[in-house]
């Protein structure tokens, strides 16, 4: 069991409050450009500085605690609005605030010509604050508050350009899809209240670790709790069947795409999984389900990315596929590998999205890669940044993606066997193909449109974050390298030093050196060969061969949206319309018509006594008084 020392920290809440203050100030002051972007960036960067100080002040196997205050109490259940910082979450804070600050800096130039940039930066700061709340909260209710906060902010940011109906539909789709998933989180919370008597993360883990109390639990409790979190994660982290919102989230501005797809919202499910891993690690059947769902997600998204023409859509489906890799690692019982890939992915995917924004900006808002070409000479720095992102995500040797993806593949081979390894390896090779397809079509061959002929490089405010992220995409992987190359295991120390209870089950024997070298070599050489093939195939321009059935299925995203519309949305809409008509016509209208009829009859009866004769009114008044007198006497 890990011994964890609890240290009362200086208020961790300041890390959350700084970007929250930026959201309030930008929303209320409505500053003009560039002051709104500068304010938002500085406050996010200040949160990054505080995160760095917190990261540096304590060793592994230590937990910083900010007790906060009692939020509310219902019977024996208490919800504490407090924060706690474990080693692996301190790394995540650096990712959220560090990458978030770079995205804010990028957006100061990218959004400078927008008509209401203060609103954009208010939403962006609020998004970061909600994600920090999710990561830092010591109570599942606080985690859920941040969980819902990033969901609301995604709705606001994806539909930011609300004048276009397509954008508002995309924002609504993201919001509703996530609400379907969030039902699982609520179920997990109800189970925690009913059986654990607490919603504290540490309290739940300690409760489960107690053999006496754990033995008294019904067998289904932990399974339902864990499945509820997994179902919620399918929504936030875009796993089958709730992944459909993420590609449509491209409707928002490019900085939003980078923030959602790289360092924040889509990794929420992985973070909660790792925080509660002592529970998930003992659920072998659930982990098997997680693995195969993740594998299907990785393959399906990769196959769709092969044929997309919209540059941001290629990257969006790439994100869905990479999230599949993270959950495949969790399903293989390797939370360290999953979290390691979260961090490396945050660097190279933020780089790819921001570079895509630079390309689209230089192409005068053209997103179709078939209309690009020859941009390497016109946008040399963007070309270099995109190339670095491609080799990192493809897993070229010694890049960040090489180490994290290799660790996932190795753990899958250890835990799930050769067949599972080969299937996941296939998805990794597809990653190399579709990424170098997009790279070649964008930067090589000849310009295929007027926009490409007149493309221009972006300014320094946009290029500076790209250069920083390029360096990170090359070096961050060296913090966790296999023992055959030196055995540096910083991520293992950070993750495993964050649990206060011993792990049970799902332990696999380590591979020997020769097998590890072989697996590493197969993945690296395979990615390079596939990248070379993609480059040669598209170096002269788009593929002009006739469209096949398989191509059409891939290009139309396996018709999943159409199937959902036909079998889920339309039936619900029809039922809802019928219920609405029934409630409106029979209940509401019936009540109102009955009320009206009652008043009319009452008026007609009362009108009988309205004769206009003063003598008649006097007699009626006298009779009324006598009646009242008699009732009072009898009473």
């Amino acid at each position: 069991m890990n011994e964890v020392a609890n240290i009362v920290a200086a208020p961790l809440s300041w890390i959350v409050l700084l970007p929250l203050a930026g959201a309030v100030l930008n929303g209320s002051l409505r500053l003009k450009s560039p002051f709104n972007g500068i304010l938002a960036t500085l406050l996010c960067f200040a949160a990054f500085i505080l995160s760095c100080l917190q990261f540096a002040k304590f060793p592994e196997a230590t937990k910083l605690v900010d007790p906060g205050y009692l939020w509310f109490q219902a019977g024996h259940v208490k919800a504490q609005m407090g924060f706690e910082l474990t080693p692996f979450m301190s790394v995540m804070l650096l990712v959220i605030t560090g990458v978030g600050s770079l995205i804010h800096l990028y957006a100061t130039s990218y959004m400078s010509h927008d008509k209401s940039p203060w609103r954009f930066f208010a939403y962006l700061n609020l998004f970061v604050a909600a994600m920090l709340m999710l990561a830092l909260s010591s109570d599942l209710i606080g985690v859920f508050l941040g969980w819902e906060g990033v969901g609301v902010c995604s709705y606001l940011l994806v539909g930011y350009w609300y004048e276009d109906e397509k954008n508002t539909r995309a924002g609504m789709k993201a919001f509703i899809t996530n609400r379907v998933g969030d039902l699982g989180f609520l179920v997990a919370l109800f189970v925690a209240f009913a059986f654990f008597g607490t919603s504290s993360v540490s309290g739940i883990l300690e409760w489960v670790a107690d053999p006496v109390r754990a033995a008294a639990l019904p067998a289904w409790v932990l399974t339902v709790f864990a499945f509820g979190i997994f179902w919620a994660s399918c929504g936030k982290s875009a796993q089958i069947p709730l992944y459909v919102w993420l590609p449509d989230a491209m409707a928002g501005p490019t900085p939003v795409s980078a923030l959602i797809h790289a360092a924040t919202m889509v990794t929420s499910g992985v973070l909660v999984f790792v925080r509660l891993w002592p529970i998930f690690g003992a659920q072998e059947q659930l982990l098997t389900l997680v693995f195969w769902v993740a594998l299907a997600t990785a393959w399906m998204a990769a196959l769709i990315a092969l044929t997309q023409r919209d540059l941001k859509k290629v990257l969006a489906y790439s994100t869905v596929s990479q999230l599949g890799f993270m959950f495949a690692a969790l399903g293989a019982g390797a939370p360290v590998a999953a979290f390691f890939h979260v961090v490396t992915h945050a660097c190279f995917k933020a780089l790819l999205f921001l570079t895509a924004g630079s390309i689209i900006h230089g192409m005068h808002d053209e997103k179709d890669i078939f209309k690009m070409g020859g941009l390497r000479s016109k946008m040399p720095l963007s070309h270099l940044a995109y190339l670095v992102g491609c080799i990192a995500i493809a897993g070229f040797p010694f890049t960040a993606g090489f180490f994290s993806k290799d660790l996932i593949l190795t753990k899958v081979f250890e835990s799930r066997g050769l067949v599972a390894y080969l299937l996941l390896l296939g998805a990794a090779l597809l990653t190399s193909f579709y990424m170098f397809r997009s790279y070649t079509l964008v930067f090589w061959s000849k310009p295929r449109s007027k926009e490409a002929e007149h493309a221009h490089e972006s300014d320094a405010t946009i290029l500076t974050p790209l250069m920083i992220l390029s360096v990170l995409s090359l070096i961050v992987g060296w913090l966790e390298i296999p023992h055959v190359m030196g055995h540096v295991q910083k991520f293992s120390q950070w993750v495993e030093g964050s649990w206060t209870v011993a792990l049970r089950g799902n332990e696999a024997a380590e591979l020997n050196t020769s097998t590890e070298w072989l697996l590493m070599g197969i993945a690296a050489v395979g990615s390079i060969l596939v990248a070379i093939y993609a480059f040669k195939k598209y170096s002269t321009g788009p593929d002009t061969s006739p469209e096949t059935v398989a191509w059409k299925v891939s290009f139309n995203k396996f018709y999943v949206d159409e199937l959902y519309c036909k079998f889920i949305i339309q039936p619900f809409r029809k039922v809802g319309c019928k219920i609405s008509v029934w409630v409106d016509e029979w209940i509401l209208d019936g009540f109102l018509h009955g009320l009206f009829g009652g008043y009319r009859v009452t008026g007609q009866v009362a009108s009988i006594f309205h004769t206009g004769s003063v003598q008649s009114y006097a007699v009626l008044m006298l009779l009324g008084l006598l009646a009242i007198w008699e009732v009072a006497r009898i009473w």
Side-chain angles (χ1 to χ4, degrees), residues 215-350:
L217 281 175
W220 57 267
V221 170
L222 290 180
T223 301
V224 171
F225 178 85
F227 182 80
I229 297 295
F230 171 59
W231 178 251
S233 300
C234 285
K236 278 291 185 291
S237 297
Q239 299 297 288
I240 291 175
L242 300 179
Y243 73 94
V244 291
W245 69 271
L246 192 56
D248 286 11
M250 293 299 96
T254 295
V256 174
S257 305
L259 196 61
I260 291 177
H261 286 239
T264 54
M265 181 173 171
V266 295
T267 61
S268 302
V270 182
L271 299 185
V272 175
F273 250 75
V274 177
R275 288 189 74 178
L276 297 171
W277 184 254
I279 294 176
F280 288 100
Q283 303 292 319
E284 180 58 35
Q285 291 182 334
L286 178 63
L287 291 183
T288 300
L289 174 65
V290 170
F291 176 79
W292 291 107
V293 168
L295 184 61
T297 302
W299 261 95
M300 188 175 191
L303 289 172
I304 294 173
L306 290 175
T307 58
Q308 299 305 302
R309 294 179 54 164
D310 186 316
L311 180 57
K312 289 175 69 176
K313 279 290 180 70
V314 174
L315 298 179
Y317 280 104
S318 170
T319 297
V320 177
S321 184
Q322 295 304 304
L323 289 166
F325 277 85
M326 296 173 200
F327 275 87
L330 294 171
V336 173
F339 178 64
F340 185 26
H341 200 56
V342 165
V343 176
T344 60
H345 178 264
C347 296
F348 56 68
K349 187 50 65 67

Side-chain angles (χ1 to χ4, degrees), residues 286-586:
L286 178 63
L287 291 183
T288 300
L289 174 65
V290 170
F291 176 79
W292 291 107
V293 168
L295 184 61
T297 302
W299 261 95
M300 188 175 191
L303 289 172
I304 294 173
L306 290 175
T307 58
Q308 299 305 302
R309 294 179 54 164
D310 186 316
L311 180 57
K312 289 175 69 176
K313 279 290 180 70
V314 174
L315 298 179
Y317 280 104
S318 170
T319 297
V320 177
S321 184
Q322 295 304 304
L323 289 166
F325 277 85
M326 296 173 200
F327 275 87
L330 294 171
V336 173
F339 178 64
F340 185 26
H341 200 56
V342 165
V343 176
T344 60
H345 178 264
C347 296
F348 56 68
K349 187 50 65 67
L351 171 63
L352 287 167
F353 268 112
L354 295 183
T355 307
S358 175
I359 295 166
I360 294 167
H361 178 69
M363 283 283 296
H364 309 286
D365 295 327
E366 179 58 65
K367 301 178 183 179
D368 189 346
I369 59 178
F370 282 21
K371 296 180 180 180
M372 297 182 184
L375 297 186
R376 68 186 187 280
S377 60
K378 301 178 183 298
M379 307 180 71
L381 293 179
S382 295
H383 165 246
L384 177 62
Y386 198 83
L387 178 59
V388 170
C390 285
I391 65 174
I393 194 173
F396 276 37
F398 313 123
T399 62
F402 168 76
F403 291 109
S404 62
K405 196 172 293 186
D406 176 72
L407 182 59
I408 292 174
L409 289 169
T410 300
K411 294 299 182 181
V412 168
F413 182 83
E414 291 177 359
S415 178
R416 297 294 172 183
L418 179 61
V419 174
Y421 165 81
L422 292 175
L423 289 172
L424 195 61
L425 176 63
L429 297 181
L430 286 178
T431 302
S432 182
F433 183 86
Y434 66 67
M435 287 308 305
F436 275 89
R437 168 183 175 266
S438 68
Y439 163 76
T440 308
L441 290 174
V442 170
F443 293 104
W444 291 80
S445 183
K446 296 180 180 180
R448 294 184 291 276
S449 66
K450 291 183 179 180
E451 290 82 3
E453 291 174 355
H454 298 93
H456 60 85
E457 186 62 278
S458 301
D459 60 46
T461 307
I462 287 179
L463 293 175
T464 300
L466 303 188
M467 297 301 103
I468 295 173
L469 289 168
S470 296
V471 174
L472 291 174
S473 298
L474 294 174
I475 67 172
V476 74
W478 287 89
L479 293 172
E480 182 82 19
I481 62 177
H483 69 279
V484 295
M485 295 180 63
H487 206 53
V488 177
Q489 290 189 318
K490 282 296 183 182
F491 279 91
S492 297
Q493 295 171 11
W494 289 328
V495 173
E496 294 171 1
S498 298
W499 298 318
T500 60
V501 298
L503 303 184
R504 304 190 301 273
N506 206 49
E507 297 179 357
E510 291 189 1
L511 301 176
N512 57 50
T513 302
S514 58
T515 303
E516 195 165 350
W517 275 115
L518 177 63
L519 296 178
M520 192 184 305
I522 290 173
V525 173
S527 294
I528 294 172
L529 293 177
V530 169
I532 293 172
Y533 172 72
F535 179 80
K536 288 185 175 181
K537 182 176 177 66
Y538 295 102
S539 58
T540 57
D543 187 2
T544 57
S545 58
E547 298 175 357
T548 63
V549 174
W551 184 93
K552 291 180 180 178
V553 171
S554 171
F555 183 75
N556 289 287
K557 300 164 286 187
F558 287 87
Y559 299 98
V560 172
D561 285 328
E562 289 79 1
L563 292 172
Y564 277 20
C565 184
K566 183 174 181 60
F567 294 106
I568 297 178
I569 297 174
Q570 289 181 357
F572 270 95
R573 183 175 293 170
K574 289 179 181 178
V575 172
C577 288
K578 290 183 178 180
I579 292 176
S580 175
V581 169
W582 185 80
V583 170
D584 190 50
E585 291 186 0
W586 291 93

Side-chain angles (χ1 to χ4, degrees), residues 583-620:
V583 170
D584 190 50
E585 291 186 0
W586 291 93
I587 297 181
L588 295 179
D589 285 356
F591 172 75
L592 292 175
H593 287 316
L595 192 62
F596 170 74
Y599 279 123
R600 184 175 60 184
V601 170
T602 303
Q604 290 173 347
V605 172
S607 66
I608 297 173
F609 300 96
H610 290 198
T611 62
S613 172
V614 177
Q615 293 87 342
S616 299
Y617 294 158
V619 171
L620 291 174

